[in-house]
């Protein structure tokens, strides 16, 4: 049900989407949850749209039509199903697989750019005209940026209505609506219920219960199974920067710098979801915070496609079969990760944490954490650019690398974000002093989100390759890894997992 083509450095994977009716019908009839978020089923007789795995009896094929986005369904006059709640599906993995205009636009919309800066702001960030952006989104997703952002606002509103006791007026503005009337009209149109009726459907008055901490929300983040939490949470916990990150009570916790304020998130693995507890200084940051947490944990990945490709290599297949569903641990702040990648050059994990912790204590913004030991936001690039280089406890060459990076980030000549063009970002990073292939590729893999980033010179990768009988020289291993494309970043996770390093184990 999935095919892929590759042109240059860009990979496009197309499952049974609205372009392939037969595969869509088959996925709906089998209630295949793997395709939730890939496409949506609209039922012509009921005017309701569903996810492929909807538990109700599937409609007759002649009554089905298919759309590539919830926004397109809503724009065509269909309402969200009250049983399967298609608006809560995992996001399409295609936006994390690609770095073209549409994929970059979708990542920016998920990050709330349209709500904050409008469509012109979105187009400016992408380097295209407003008309070009709208035309390409309409062609591929059946909806323009305003409709896509509206669908996201509706989903955020539903989440706040059902999980918080906030007054509807506060919810309207926290979700990004410009007026209460628009909020009411959108909720009625999308869910066929008024906001009050939507809240009344919540069982056991859950929505009326006040959270323990003001501004705190408890959420469930869905993912496509399988998901192996070991290396995902193990990596985040083992490399946690003191004051910014910690593992506490079975959850990874960290501070977040957000557009309107700051936040603290706790993320814990569960069998069928990720438990997410968010404390925000400004609820307008909810959509952005959720998007960044999903990106951090790679929750929109398609593990069936990834593992299926890697299993074609007989030497990788046993690793995949032993612990399928590994994700790539990513980041909530691309610039922060780039700084940390430089701090980690040629030193141990413990030493890198120590260096980062000192910077946090000296230059990070303090905040209060009543539930744990988080004390600061990671320092901004602007704050780090103002640091006296002579106070940095690192070799002179790495000091030059560090200061050059933070100055470029601070003055905007280097931009790392969800909208980054991967090839351009790689070229700009390689032009900086002290940036070799390993540093650039680890940033591409974990910060930029390139699923095909590869680390053939990494010592752990070469050691694992030798033990498995794979080529261990960088050139030969790169040649062998051609067959793993476009999922080489996931192959890295499986190869790293052969080691006994703490990054590979779920903390206890």
């Amino acid at each position: 049900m999935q095919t892929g083509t590759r042109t240059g450095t860009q990979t496009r994977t197309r499952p049974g989407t609205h372009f392939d009716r037969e595969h869509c019908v088959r996925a709906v009839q089998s209630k295949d949850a793997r395709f939730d978020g890939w496409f949506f089923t609209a039922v012509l007789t009921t005017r309701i749209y569903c996810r492929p795995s909807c538990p109700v009896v599937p409609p007759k094929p002649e009554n089905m039509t298919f759309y590539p986005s919830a926004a397109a369904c809503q724009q065509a006059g269909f309402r969200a199903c009250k049983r399967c709640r298609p608006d809560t599906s995992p996001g399409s993995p295609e936006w994390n697989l690609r770095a073209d205009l549409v994929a970059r636009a979708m990542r920016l919309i998920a990050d709330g750019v349209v709500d904050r800066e409008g469509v012109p702001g979105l187009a400016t960030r992408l380097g295209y005209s407003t008309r070009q952006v709208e035309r390409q989104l309409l062609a591929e997703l059946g909806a323009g940026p305003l409709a896509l952002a509206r669908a996201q606002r509706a989903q955020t509103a539903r989440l706040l209505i059902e999980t918080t006791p906030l007054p509807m007026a506060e919810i309207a503005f926290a979700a990004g609506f410009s007026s209460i009337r628009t909020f009411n009209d959108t909720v009625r149109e999308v869910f066929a219920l008024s906001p009050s009726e939507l809240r009344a459907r919540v069982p056991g008055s859950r929505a009326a219960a006040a959270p323990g901490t003001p501004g705190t929300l408890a959420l469930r983040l869905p993912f496509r199974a399988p998901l192996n939490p070991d290396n995902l949470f193990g990596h985040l916990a083992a490399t946690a920067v003191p004051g910014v990150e910690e593992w506490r009570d079975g959850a990874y916790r960290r501070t977040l710098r957000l557009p309107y304020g700051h936040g603290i998130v706790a993320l814990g693995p569960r069998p069928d979801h990720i438990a997410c507890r968010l404390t925000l200084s400004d609820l307008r940051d909810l959509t952005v915070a959720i998007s960044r947490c999903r990106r951090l944990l790679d929750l929109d990945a398609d593990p069936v496609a990834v593992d299926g490709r890697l299993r074609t290599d007989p030497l990788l297949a046993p690793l995949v079969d032993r612990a399928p569903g590994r994700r790539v641990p990513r980041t909530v702040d691309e610039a922060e990760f780039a700084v940390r990648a430089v701090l980690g050059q040629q030193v141990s994990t413990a030493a890198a944490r120590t260096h980062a912790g000192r910077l946090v204590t000296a230059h990070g913004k303090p905040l209060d954490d009543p539930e744990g030991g988080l004390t600061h936001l990671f320092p901004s690039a602007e704050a780090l650019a103002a640091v006296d280089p002579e106070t940095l406890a690192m070799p002179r060459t790495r000091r030059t690398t560090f200061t050059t990076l933070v100055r470029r980030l601070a003055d905007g000549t280097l931009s790392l974000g969800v909208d980054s063009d991967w090839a351009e970002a790689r070229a700009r990073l390689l032009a900086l002093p002290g940036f070799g292939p390993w540093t650039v590729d680890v940033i591409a893999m974990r910060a930029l989100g390139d699923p095909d980033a590869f680390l053939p010179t990494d010592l752990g990768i070469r050691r694992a390759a030798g033990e498995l009988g794979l080529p261990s020289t960088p050139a030969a291993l790169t040649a062998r890894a051609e067959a793993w494309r476009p999922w080489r970043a996931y192959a890295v996770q499986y190869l790293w997992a052969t080691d006994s390093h703490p990054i590979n184990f779920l903390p206890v």
Side-chain angles (χ1 to χ4, degrees), residues 9-30:
T9 60
Q10 177 181 308
T11 299
R12 297 193 57 174
T13 302
R14 181 75 61 189
T17 67
H18 63 301
F19 296 104
D20 190 336
R21 180 177 177 81
E22 180 185 348
H23 285 163
C24 286
V25 170
R26 215 179 296 161
V28 172
Q29 290 176 334
S30 61

Side-chain angles (χ1 to χ4, degrees), residues 110-113 116 258-259 284-293:
D111 208 49
V113 166
R116 296 192 302 273
L258 299 164
R284 290 178 295 176
D285 284 321
L286 176 62
T287 299
V288 177
I290 292 174
S291 174
R292 293 183 184 178
C293 290

Side-chain angles (χ1 to χ4, degrees), residues 102-154:
V102 171
R104 292 163 58 209
M106 289 301 292
R107 292 198 287 268
L108 282 172
I109 291 170
D111 208 49
V113 166
V114 172
D115 290 334
R116 296 192 302 273
E117 303 173 23
V119 178
L122 173 69
T124 298
R125 285 181 178 240
L126 294 168
Y128 287 81
S129 71
T130 299
R131 181 173 294 182
Q132 286 174 304
V133 173
E134 290 178 338
R135 184 172 62 246
Q136 292 211 33
L137 287 173
L138 278 167
E140 184 158 345
L141 291 164
L146 287 176
L148 291 162
R150 175 180 179 269
Q152 183 168 271
R153 285 195 295 273

Side-chain angles (χ1 to χ4, degrees), residues 316-464:
L316 276 186
L319 299 182
V320 178
D321 292 337
R322 191 180 309 142
R326 292 194 185 276
R327 301 300 207 270
V328 178
R330 295 208 165 111
T331 183
V332 295
D333 187 318
E334 294 78 10
E336 172 192 314
F337 185 83
V339 170
R340 291 171 61 171
V342 169
L343 295 177
Q345 287 178 331
Q346 299 178 341
V347 299
S348 66
T349 299
R353 294 179 69 227
T354 299
H355 286 318
R358 289 172 181 162
L359 285 178
V360 166
T361 301
H363 307 289
K365 181 179 179 180
L367 53 70
D368 294 326
D369 174 19
E371 299 181 25
L374 303 181
T375 59
H376 292 78
L377 295 174
F378 194 86
S380 66
E382 292 76 13
L384 293 176
V387 174
D388 180 358
E390 297 301 320
T391 64
L392 298 173
M394 59 182 71
R396 184 168 298 278
T397 54
R398 193 168 311 134
R399 190 184 304 168
T400 300
T401 301
F402 176 88
T403 55
T404 303
L405 171 66
V406 296
R407 286 170 184 163
R408 295 287 177 84
L409 290 169
D411 66 19
T413 54
L414 174 64
S415 177
L416 301 176
V418 295
D419 57 327
S420 293
D421 179 287
W422 296 338
E424 180 182 341
R426 284 173 182 271
R428 288 180 179 272
L429 287 169
L430 279 171
L432 300 180
F435 274 77
W438 185 92
T439 304
V440 171
D441 277 316
V442 80
I443 292 172
M445 179 175 68
R446 294 197 53 200
L448 302 182
D450 183 352
D452 203 38
F454 192 50
L455 306 173
T457 63
D458 182 84
L459 182 60
I461 296 299
R462 296 178 63 187
R463 185 185 298 124

Side-chain angles (χ1 to χ4, degrees), residues 4 15 72-73 84 86 106 142 181 225 236 252 274 307 313 335 357 359 431 440 443 460 495 507-508:
C73 294
C84 70
M106 289 301 292
R181 179 177 179 177
L236 294 173
Y252 165 76
I274 299 296
D307 291 351
D313 189 313
L359 285 178
V440 171
I443 292 172
L495 291 171
V508 294

